[in-house]
Amino acid sequence: MKPGGRKASMFVRLARAAVLGLALGASGCATVSQNLYATSAVEEAAWPYATPTLHPEKEVVWGVLPNGLRYAILPNKTPKRSVSLRLHIAAGSLDETDDQQGLAHFLEHMAFNGSKNVPEGDMVKILERFGLAFGPDTNAFTSFDQTVYQLDLPSNGDAIVDQGLSLLNETARNLTLAPDSIDRERGVIKSELRLRDTPAYRAYVAGAKFVMPDARLTQRLPIGQKQIIEGAPRSAFEELYKRAYRPDRALLVVTGDIDAAKIAEKVNGRFSDWTKDGKADETPKAGPIKAGELDAGYFFDPEVKTSIAFSFIKPPTDPKDSLAERKTSMMRDLANAVFSRRLRALARHADAKILGGAGYFDDSYHAADMSVLMLSAEPKNWREALTVGEQELRRAVTYGFSKAEVDEQLSEMRASYRNAAEYAPTRKTADLADALVAAAHDKSVFTHPDDDLALFESFARGVSAKTLSQAFRADWSGAEPRIFLVSSAKIDNARESILAAYKQSRAQAVAKPKRTSSDAFAYTKFGAPGVVAEQKEVADLA
């Protein structure tokens, strides 16, 4: 697994924030120039991903079939006799053409609506016969750049494992996409559209488009466009299915109470004759981003909670996984955690002007290197909250962090890595399957928690208040923020009002933070030990 956190997308952050009432947008001002197309979704690289200093977990059996399909098999006995299957397709809504918006997600639905060897309606019946509850044990999701199918099997018998592999094989290459089945599913997708059309979701979409008005990312939301969902012909589904669902864009993961060699034979037997035509298409990039000068945006709805986001964008670096990159990610995570702790402390004051806040890094699906400060506040306090955020960020950039702050956060981070290493022998099968998919999707090395802990300890020895402050300053400097306010408060001339509040705050000097030190443990003296006054033995009454 990969420590650090480079890959969490802006849209994932926004979705989480919306749940917390912190729907926000992000953008920036450093000019980002990039080509429309990235490298192929599946590169001609060694599998598994490895570096001279990072080695994949030894217990995993890695393989590639002649047709390009990759697989990863990891025996695991928690819980006993369980097996998890994952089919990862390296394609999502970014791969859609203009007249296919929403069809990557629609195809995910069609996996349960008929294939060459499984008539429509039979897949759910088959799963239920083997004890799988449709939903909790069988699931799928579509993102901007991936589609993942999940089966968590209740037992490891040959019959159920064979059936699970067979169903994934049907999904991968044998969907019938019958016109009448497509038409029946259109209503289901439209109902999802209606359910998602909440004030928080609209706020997050508005914020994303404020961040990246010209980016493909904001034009390819996985849920798609209503008119396309209602009227896309079968040919549009078929074209995307053939282009995206190819063995050289697929990964099969099997974890659980299994014989790895036996599972490898099953995978070979089931998937080796899956053919491909031509070369895999390139996946369009999430950008481009045209960053401008300092700017402000605003979204109003009487039902949203108030939040403010400051976003600082720089050109994307998107480095490959390496020892140096992991240490950079750890440094970044540690610095942002120290800063976020300061914001949480401010939110606890009796007269606090913010309800909460956090700083984080986000690569926005490789479109940019983005540092984001998000705050939540009462609607009436948006100006004061903006001031708190601007000044606390400037204070941290200007004066850095104290040794006590760094030591405290390092201790928390160390505990997290130690716990992961300690409980590694009891990792759950389904979690391991998801982690293998995530590592492959991010093109990162799947390392063991013991190795992650050793890497952390090596990193921690080189951390000081000075080096952490320098790293934080580098991430948050060199770009002007774009500020997005979501609120239930109506604001006249919102853009001008937000910019005026920001410039007024910037004009005020910030003082060096008060010196802090680690508090000694308060409970070290407990008085004189007690003395037994009297002892009596009571005979057993039985």
Side-chain angles (χ1 to χ4, degrees):
M1 300 174 195
K2 181 178 179 181
R6 221 197 133 70
K7 302 298 180 182
S9 124
M10 175 188 70
F11 286 82
V12 173
R13 297 279 189 179
L14 289 172
R16 291 174 182 165
V19 172
L20 297 172
L22 299 175
L24 50 109
S27 189
C29 64
T31 300
V32 177
S33 175
Q34 53 196 15
N35 295 327
L36 178 62
Y37 290 98
T39 56
S40 175
V42 177
E43 299 174 345
E44 294 181 4
W47 173 252
Y49 298 114
T51 76
T53 52
L54 296 175
H55 307 292
E57 186 166 334
K58 294 179 181 178
E59 298 302 317
V60 183
V61 174
W62 312 87
V64 184
L65 300 185
N67 58 13
L69 180 138
R70 299 172 297 164
Y71 62 83
I73 303 168
L74 176 56
N76 185 65
K77 293 187 179 295
T78 306
K80 290 181 179 180
R81 301 193 69 234
S82 70
V83 179
S84 288
L85 309 178
R86 300 290 185 267
L87 173 65
H88 174 270
I89 302 295
S93 60
L94 287 174
D95 290 86
E96 298 165 349
T97 61
D98 288 344
D99 60 356
Q100 292 174 332
Q101 293 181 61
L103 297 197
H105 170 243
F106 206 137
L107 279 174
E108 171 210 313
H109 279 242
M110 294 306 298
F112 301 96
N113 285 286
S115 63
K116 179 180 177 182
N117 299 301
V118 181
E120 182 179 3
D122 280 13
M123 182 176 284
V124 174
K125 294 177 183 177
I126 291 170
L127 293 169
E128 290 175 344
R129 279 202 300 271
F130 283 100
L132 279 77
F134 191 71
D137 304 315
T138 63
N139 210 338
F141 69 86
T142 304
S143 181
F144 294 91
D145 55 357
Q146 64 177 322
T147 306
V148 180
Y149 298 89
Q150 306 164 323
L151 289 178
D152 292 320
L153 310 180
S155 70
N156 59 353
D158 279 343
I160 188 171
V161 172
D162 287 343
Q163 188 66 71
L165 290 172
S166 177
L167 292 176
L168 291 182
N169 182 52
E170 289 293 296
T171 297
R173 56 174 169 157
N174 288 329
L175 297 187
T176 51
L177 304 175
D180 54 343
S181 297
I182 290 173
D183 288 341
R184 281 191 290 272
E185 198 66 24
R186 295 186 200 272
V188 175
I189 307 292
K190 285 195 292 182
S191 115
E192 280 195 39
L193 263 172
R194 288 191 296 271
L195 286 172
R196 294 190 190 193
D197 189 20
T198 63
Y201 181 76
R202 291 194 294 271
Y204 120 70
V205 172
K209 290 185 176 180
F210 172 74
V211 175
M212 309 177 183
D214 301 314
R216 189 177 185 86
L217 197 64
T218 61
Q219 299 163 12
R220 290 293 186 276
L221 298 177
I223 193 61
Q225 297 290 327
K226 182 181 178 182
Q227 64 272 23
I228 293 174
I229 291 166
E230 288 178 330
R234 180 185 184 276
S235 58
F237 289 84
E238 187 177 31
E239 192 280 333
L240 180 60
Y241 183 56
K242 288 181 177 179
R243 177 161 49 88
Y245 286 60
R246 301 169 47 98
D248 50 359
R249 298 185 82 166
L251 164 70
L252 188 68
V253 170
V254 184
T255 61
D257 196 351
I258 52 174
D259 180 319
K262 189 174 180 180
I263 294 296
E265 289 180 7
K266 291 178 182 290
V267 171
N268 259 285
R270 188 75 62 179
F271 291 89
S272 59
D273 62 344
W274 183 7
T275 58
K276 59 182 180 181
D277 298 321
K279 187 178 180 181
D281 284 356
E282 295 176 330
T283 296
K285 271 193 173 181
I289 297 174
K290 291 182 180 179
E293 300 298 327
L294 168 70
D295 203 355
Y298 166 66
F299 178 88
F300 165 78
D301 190 286
E303 296 182 27
V304 296
K305 296 181 179 180
T306 296
S307 64
I308 308 166
F310 298 77
S311 300
F312 301 78
I313 290 184
K314 297 179 184 179
T317 52
D318 196 26
K320 292 183 178 179
D321 193 13
S322 68
L323 186 65
E325 167 57 18
R326 292 200 182 190
K327 288 188 175 182
T328 297
S329 291
M330 284 181 175
M331 185 73 83
R332 176 178 288 130
D333 290 347
L334 182 63
N336 284 333
V338 174
F339 175 58
S340 298
R341 182 185 288 271
R342 286 188 180 181
L343 295 173
R344 291 196 300 273
L346 289 172
R348 289 194 293 268
H349 290 179
D351 59 348
K353 300 303 180 183
I354 63 171
L355 299 176
Y360 61 86
F361 175 85
D362 180 8
D363 76 352
S364 290
Y365 290 90
H366 318 294
D369 282 4
M370 186 185 304
S371 292
V372 180
L373 162 60
M374 65 178 185
L375 305 162
S376 62
E378 294 291 345
K380 64 181 180 180
N381 291 334
W382 74 264
R383 284 185 179 83
E384 293 86 349
L386 185 151
T387 299
V388 168
E390 186 281 320
Q391 292 186 5
E392 285 306 313
L393 177 58
R394 183 154 46 96
R395 195 187 321 278
V397 168
T398 303
Y399 298 108
F401 306 119
S402 69
K403 182 178 184 301
E405 289 177 303
V406 176
D407 288 346
E408 187 172 17
Q409 202 61 49
L410 267 176
S411 178
E412 283 197 12
M413 189 177 273
R414 176 175 287 107
S416 176
Y417 280 99
R418 284 181 174 174
N419 287 339
E422 181 181 354
Y423 292 106
T426 58
R427 290 175 293 176
K428 292 184 178 179
T429 286
D431 293 342
L432 284 169
D434 293 336
L436 278 162
V437 168
H441 179 65
D442 291 342
K443 297 184 175 63
S444 63
V445 184
F446 185 81
T447 47
H448 191 277
D450 287 344
D451 296 328
D452 296 341
L453 174 59
L455 172 58
F456 168 78
E457 294 296 357
S458 170
F459 154 76
R461 286 192 291 271
V463 175
S464 67
K466 181 179 180 181
T467 58
L468 195 69
S469 299
Q470 289 172 339
F472 185 81
R473 191 172 297 118
D475 267 351
W476 291 86
S477 301
E480 288 290 331
R482 288 174 65 97
I483 306 165
F484 195 74
L485 170 64
V486 174
S487 186
S488 59
K490 283 197 173 182
I491 303 171
D492 295 330
N493 301 315
R495 178 177 177 275
E496 291 74 15
S497 297
I498 295 167
L499 290 175
Y502 174 77
K503 291 174 182 177
Q504 183 178 357
S505 179
R506 286 282 301 180
Q508 300 176 38
V510 291
K512 191 173 182 178
K514 294 180 180 179
R515 186 178 181 85
T516 58
S517 59
S518 298
D519 293 333
F521 186 61
Y523 304 100
T524 57
K525 295 181 180 179
F526 302 95
V531 177
V532 177
E534 184 182 9
Q535 277 187 314
K536 286 185 179 181
E537 183 174 341
V538 178
D540 194 340
L541 298 177

